[in-house]
Amino acid sequence: MVKHRWWMALAWLPLGFWAHANEAARPVVKVGDVATYVVNMRGDKRTVEEVVTVLEVTGAQIRSQFARPDRTAEGLTTREWGLVVSAASNTRFDPPIQSLKFPLTVGEAWTSKYVGTGTNQSQARGDLEFKVAATEKVQTPAGEFDTFRIESKGWVTGITWQGVVQVRQTFWYAPSISRYVKTEFQDWRNGRLWTDNLTELKSFKPAP
């Protein structure tokens, strides 16, 4: 059976300043920002580093390079880190996956529905729920950050292929650097855990 793994792009979302204790403003992103992450693929029992470099910032989108030891690719997001084109698979999401909704406010909840189209024209429909669960201090290899914890769950249903995938993801977004500093991603197929990834910020170098 062919594994339609492109929905794992949800886990590749890239990782404002505090407006006040329970609210965060729109991200401030600049060309040349570089964030290095440690990706622990717990199911495969292996770890890789990924370097995310902002290449271009326009009025509507952010284009970034994602470099791992085995490959380099580009991804595209909205100015609020909504996923437009996945660097993991080059899948395009229409409309973009809205994983953040600014200004971030604890208790805020929303849904994001989309159709993802892969490079081979395979398609699936996503239906995700998001909630800003709390503010939280998080320790990462890059240090400690004040974050918003965003919890997400939902389903990806095949359009051109048969099957349903259950997905769950938790993000820790740090307004001080306008990025995620930690994410946990899991998905299930046929009731079996398929993917189990933990991604943590190792370092961040802002543009000069």
Side-chain angles (χ1 to χ4, degrees):
M1 184 187 336
V2 176
K3 296 182 180 179
H4 298 275
R5 300 181 67 94
W6 60 261
W7 63 80
M8 290 172 56
L10 293 172
W12 283 54
L13 293 174
L15 297 183
F17 293 86
W18 293 107
H20 55 71
N22 291 314
E23 185 176 290
R26 191 183 191 202
V28 177
V29 182
K30 296 181 180 180
V31 173
D33 286 348
V34 179
T36 300
Y37 293 91
V38 178
V39 183
N40 181 3
M41 292 171 277
R42 293 179 288 204
D44 296 334
K45 297 182 179 179
R46 67 188 184 98
T47 301
V48 298
E49 284 194 5
E50 180 173 70
V51 180
V52 182
T53 305
V54 176
L55 302 178
E56 182 182 26
V57 179
T58 67
Q61 295 182 326
I62 301 169
R63 182 169 60 91
S64 301
Q65 175 184 273
F66 293 72
R68 292 188 175 189
D70 57 340
R71 70 186 192 89
T72 298
E74 291 187 7
L76 196 63
T77 68
T78 67
R79 287 292 301 271
E80 298 185 346
W81 294 124
L83 191 59
V84 179
V85 178
S86 163
S89 61
N90 205 34
T91 299
R92 179 172 289 274
F93 300 93
D94 185 20
I97 301 175
Q98 187 181 14
S99 54
L100 295 173
K101 186 176 181 181
F102 291 92
L104 285 178
T105 305
V106 173
E108 182 80 12
W110 64 94
T111 60
S112 185
K113 300 177 185 290
Y114 63 87
V115 171
T117 304
T119 54
N120 62 355
Q121 300 306 304
S122 65
Q123 289 188 316
R125 182 176 293 106
D127 189 348
L128 305 177
E129 298 176 357
F130 295 87
K131 181 179 181 179
V132 183
T135 56
E136 191 170 286
K137 285 189 180 293
V138 172
Q139 186 67 41
T140 74
E144 186 178 77
F145 294 88
D146 289 312
T147 71
F148 285 84
R149 187 178 82 242
I150 297 98
E151 298 175 352
S152 172
K153 62 181 179 180
W155 302 88
V156 177
T157 305
I159 297 174
T160 60
W161 49 274
Q162 292 186 340
V164 177
V165 180
Q166 181 183 6
V167 297
R168 181 169 295 174
Q169 190 164 15
T170 303
F171 315 88
W172 286 263
Y173 176 83
S176 61
I177 61 170
S178 296
R179 279 160 181 75
Y180 298 113
V181 295
K182 179 180 177 181
T183 65
E184 288 189 339
F185 175 84
Q186 295 175 316
D187 68 37
W188 290 262
R189 274 177 73 103
N190 299 320
R192 181 171 67 89
L193 182 63
W194 194 259
T195 308
D196 185 9
N197 291 349
L198 169 66
T199 302
E200 296 179 289
L201 185 70
K202 180 179 180 181
S203 66
F204 175 66
K205 183 179 179 181

